[in-house]
Amino acid sequence: SNEHEGKPRAAFEIERRRLLELAVESGAPEESGTALYQNELSELLPRPTPLSLSLMQSLWEPGGSTDLACRILGIPYEAEEEGAELLVSAFGHLYINRPVEKRRSASGPGLIASFRLTRDAWKLKQNYQEVFLPGYLSELKIREAIDLSRLETSELLELFRQWRENLRTRTHVQVELINIAADFYMRSAERAIRGKVPVLPEGPRTIVRQALELLPAIKRGERDSADFIELYGHRSIHDYELSSPRYNEDPELLAGLVAMASSEDHSPVTARDQTRAASSSIASIAAERASQFQSLKEEAKHHCLREFALLRRLLLELDGRLEMDGEIFQLKLEELDGIDADAPCASLRALAAKRLEEGELFSEIALKTKLTMTDLEKLDPTPVSEQLRTSSADLKGLVVAGDSWALGAARVLNSPSEIESFKEGEILVARFTDPSWTPVFSRAAGLITEVGGRLSHAAILAREINVPAIVGVEGATSSIRTGDLVRMHQDGGIELLANVGADGTAQPRLRASLLRQNEIIEAMVVNVSRNGAMVATKEDLLPGQDLKVVLADSDTKIRARVIARKAPGQYSIRFEKPLEEKGLDGPLLS
């Protein structure tokens, strides 16, 4: 029994020492400097299998996709042949090696590269959509039609090498060209409007949004599941994880998405105030370019993921031939390359089983999104469920979407499986999101994530539907609890106006009176935004009714109209004029 209990602890110590040695080898600063951190790549591949990790590492290694794309654009990318890896697994989670990242991209685009990117935006887009994409899609059709069962095992192994090399040196190079350009144009748009969040003009709908908009009609029985599969079938909950089933493989995956979706069509985005973006012709051009390329980024990723689906099909065929029992994803690329099709694979099967067992030992380990040398030295194997609430005094992140502040009750979710608990008008708080979270976005008053950037999944979708979003908020999920009353400020600050108690007691809400003709209706304001609110009352309200809203301890009467009944006793209302944030600092009454 003692031996059984000591095994996880011993494995924990071995992994902790490995990470410390890696940090020292990489040149991580002592004590407070960041050694490892999570970014958008961690969002794409949160808990990678060894095979998926080694494939992703190959894309960022010297001579890989990022290196080749930077060479084309004339941007320095100082990747060392014998240096430490950029992408690192830490207790099963994907992290970025910060010292390595800083060395590789220290220079950034120089004057000439910046000039070319600015000048050649539409040429880049045209080259991808009109030169590269048509031939690529035709080639994919042929590859998808191959009957892999008719090939010899040795031929499958060779085909896997060819396909992944094509991904590394051709297809993903195109994706990285668009990614780098999209990030450059988003930053340019921010600078053009003096560092504020770009309120982008309406651009092409992203593939994710198109797929999301099918779900309500499928739920009502008006559209067939085949429509979703045709558009999105090669995608997965975790697209870059080769072991993750695709929607066209498992009907239950789509059924889960449909179950989480609203049965109502997504409301059109309210008219946006584009004055900031249109204040000058330069700002207008920058905003338009950023809008076009955030959609193009998602398009390039979407088509490239068909290759990941093809690689998965091929690997599943190999898994059966080699009698790996589904564990081929526990191997690394170099181990697959070393397989002799005619020799027994008992040692590889044992290695895969060992790695799977070791990975399960770390399933409950909770890590911060940023790890310093001191953090690694003091790391303790405390399960997520036992972690104490941390301070919320310095909660701040990057505002990436929304043209107003937001206030509402927080809902902290750790996985898509918890989405059913989300209530209309709450503020979603998560470590990060992926496309399987999208049914929540249109129902949320705001979005807070610990991981993410300007072009993360959460940022792009939030901008499309104009939901306030703040990303990169370190410690959000351990500082905020479900039920806390949270205000999201436009400078990226997050304020906890009232905490839920340790006993789970519901937090106070803003009390309000609703004036309907000569009638006074008592209500609670569940959340507030610049343009409207969600109110809870025991009285029946009808869509279209005009009201005057008086917040607690305030004499100000706010003209509003009932828009819809969102849940029993809960109604969304829209203000006649946008509400100023001042005046909401009055007492919060229980």
Side-chain angles (χ1 to χ4, degrees):
S1 176
N2 289 339
E3 182 182 345
H4 177 73
E5 292 174 2
K7 191 172 183 180
R9 183 74 204 196
F12 175 87
E13 285 300 325
I14 291 170
E15 176 72 349
R16 189 176 68 86
R17 285 198 298 271
R18 181 186 73 84
L19 294 172
L20 274 169
E21 290 169 3
L22 175 68
V24 171
E25 176 195 342
S26 303
E30 295 183 6
E31 298 182 356
S32 60
T34 301
L36 303 172
Y37 82 106
Q38 292 190 307
N39 69 3
E40 293 94 318
L41 292 176
S42 310
E43 182 181 67
L44 296 175
L45 197 61
R47 294 186 65 88
T49 55
L51 188 55
S52 297
L53 176 61
S54 58
L55 178 62
M56 289 294 277
Q57 286 172 332
S58 74
L59 303 180
W60 271 267
E61 68 185 10
S65 311
T66 304
D67 189 7
L68 294 175
C70 285
R71 290 183 203 177
I72 292 169
L73 295 172
I75 298 172
Y77 184 74
E78 307 297 335
E80 303 163 351
E81 288 288 348
E82 301 299 325
E85 293 284 4
L86 175 66
L87 308 185
V88 177
S89 175
F91 294 96
H93 301 273
L94 184 68
Y95 276 77
I96 310 304
N97 189 329
R98 180 57 179 153
V100 171
E101 181 189 49
K102 286 178 72 174
R103 286 196 295 274
R104 291 191 183 187
S105 55
S107 303
L111 285 175
I112 295 176
S114 297
F115 172 75
R116 287 174 178 165
L117 277 167
T118 303
R119 180 193 64 188
D120 296 339
W122 307 122
K123 186 186 291 185
L124 268 173
K125 182 179 180 184
Q126 183 182 39
N127 183 69
Y128 176 77
Q129 291 183 325
E130 298 179 19
V131 179
F132 171 77
L133 193 58
Y136 174 63
L137 293 179
S138 296
E139 178 188 315
L140 281 177
K141 277 187 179 180
I142 295 170
R143 287 162 64 179
E144 287 169 345
I146 295 174
D147 184 353
L148 298 175
S149 66
R150 300 184 64 179
L151 299 180
E152 299 291 335
T153 302
S154 58
E155 292 172 325
L156 289 174
L157 289 166
E158 177 57 31
L159 195 58
F160 178 71
R161 282 189 282 270
Q162 291 175 11
W163 282 3
R164 78 164 196 260
E165 187 64 11
N166 184 76
L167 173 71
R168 189 178 75 90
T169 61
R170 180 171 170 252
T171 312
H172 207 264
V173 175
Q174 294 294 321
V175 174
E176 277 300 290
L177 285 171
I178 302 301
N179 286 346
I180 294 167
D183 183 68
F184 178 84
Y185 299 141
M186 186 62 69
R187 292 173 186 270
S188 297
E190 289 182 355
R191 287 195 297 271
I193 55 175
R194 299 177 182 85
K196 295 181 180 178
V197 183
V199 181
L200 302 181
E202 192 74 28
R205 291 180 307 156
T206 62
I207 299 285
V208 174
R209 187 176 175 192
Q210 291 176 44
L212 170 67
E213 289 173 347
L214 288 172
L215 297 178
I218 293 173
K219 191 167 190 173
R220 296 193 302 265
E222 296 170 4
R223 295 289 293 267
D224 194 85
S225 298
D227 296 330
F228 180 93
I229 296 300
E230 183 179 359
L231 175 66
Y232 211 71
H234 66 279
R235 302 287 295 265
S236 172
I237 292 175
H238 295 124
D239 291 309
Y240 288 85
E241 175 50 66
L242 294 169
S243 68
S244 183
R246 273 41 193 170
Y247 288 108
N248 56 17
E249 294 176 39
D250 186 353
E252 291 301 314
L253 292 176
L254 175 54
L257 275 186
V258 172
M260 290 186 290
S262 168
S263 57
E264 299 177 9
D265 289 321
H266 300 287
S267 303
V269 178
T270 54
R272 305 181 186 195
D273 175 9
Q274 295 184 20
T275 54
R276 285 181 291 178
S279 58
S280 72
S281 59
I282 293 175
S284 179
I285 291 169
E288 175 65 26
R289 201 166 46 200
S291 176
Q292 292 289 327
F293 269 78
Q294 79 166 10
S295 296
L296 186 62
K297 174 183 182 290
E298 289 297 299
E299 180 185 350
K301 169 185 168 183
H302 178 76
H303 293 306
C304 176
L305 285 169
R306 285 175 66 177
E307 281 201 64
F308 279 80
L310 277 168
L311 287 172
R312 173 175 162 77
R313 269 185 58 210
L314 201 158
L315 287 165
L316 289 174
E317 183 68 28
L318 275 171
D319 183 89
R321 302 281 185 92
L322 302 174
E323 299 179 343
M324 295 291 294
D325 196 25
E327 295 180 4
I328 195 169
F329 305 104
Q330 297 300 319
L331 301 179
K332 298 178 181 179
L333 288 180
E334 59 267 28
E335 291 158 355
L336 269 180
D337 287 343
I339 289 177
D340 182 345
D342 299 319
C345 293
S347 60
L348 286 180
R349 285 194 287 271
L351 176 62
K354 180 174 179 287
R355 283 184 182 151
L356 188 63
E357 181 185 359
E358 288 174 349
E360 290 172 352
L361 295 176
F362 302 142
S363 61
E364 294 297 316
I365 300 293
L367 301 175
K368 298 193 300 184
T369 55
K370 292 181 181 177
L371 297 171
T372 65
M373 291 284 283
T374 302
D375 291 329
L376 291 172
E377 287 168 355
K378 296 180 178 179
L379 209 56
D380 185 74
T382 306
V384 178
S385 58
E386 297 176 19
Q387 285 195 330
L388 297 175
R389 185 180 186 126
T390 57
S391 170
S392 60
D394 299 315
L395 287 179
K396 194 175 180 68
L398 175 69
V399 179
V400 293
D403 54 6
S404 71
W405 47 269
L407 182 149
R411 174 70 58 176
V412 182
L413 300 181
N414 295 307
S415 76
S417 63
E418 301 173 352
I419 285 176
E420 286 185 8
S421 66
F422 191 86
K423 295 182 176 62
E424 184 90 27
E426 292 181 321
I427 289 177
L428 172 63
V429 183
R431 193 176 184 98
F432 43 65
T433 67
D434 57 58
S436 65
W437 295 72
T438 49
V440 167
F441 279 55
S442 61
R443 296 157 51 202
L447 172 67
I448 298 169
T449 67
E450 292 188 329
V451 176
R454 295 170 179 83
L455 290 168
S456 62
H457 162 261
I460 291 175
L461 190 56
R463 275 195 296 272
E464 280 197 292
I465 59 179
N466 204 25
V467 171
I470 302 177
V471 302
V473 184
E474 188 176 359
T477 58
S478 57
S479 303
I480 302 171
R481 290 284 188 264
T482 292
D484 288 349
L485 191 60
V486 174
R487 179 183 289 160
M488 299 168 61
H489 293 280
Q490 284 191 280
D491 65 355
I494 295 166
E495 182 183 4
L496 268 63
L497 299 179
N499 297 136
V500 66
D503 60 354
T505 305
Q507 87 293 336
R509 294 283 200 273
L510 285 167
R511 183 177 290 172
S513 297
L514 308 179
L515 309 183
R516 183 173 61 184
Q517 295 180 343
N518 297 322
E519 184 182 8
I520 299 176
I521 300 171
E522 294 302 317
M524 289 290 181
V525 179
V526 178
N527 70 66
V528 184
S529 73
R530 186 166 177 258
N531 299 308
M534 181 79 69
V535 297
T537 178
K538 295 179 180 178
E539 301 293 329
D540 288 331
L541 301 179
L542 298 176
Q545 285 184 334
D546 291 323
L547 304 169
K548 291 179 183 176
V549 182
V550 182
L551 298 178
D553 288 5
S554 170
D555 296 325
T556 305
K557 296 177 181 178
I558 305 165
R559 293 182 179 275
R561 175 167 292 179
V562 180
I563 300 302
R565 179 177 180 269
K566 292 295 186 179
Q570 288 199 358
Y571 302 86
S572 64
I573 61 174
R574 182 174 296 155
F575 301 136
E576 186 178 272
K577 296 179 180 179
L579 190 65
E580 296 298 326
E581 186 171 7
K582 61 185 180 182
L584 285 179
D585 293 316
L588 292 165
L589 306 177
S590 58

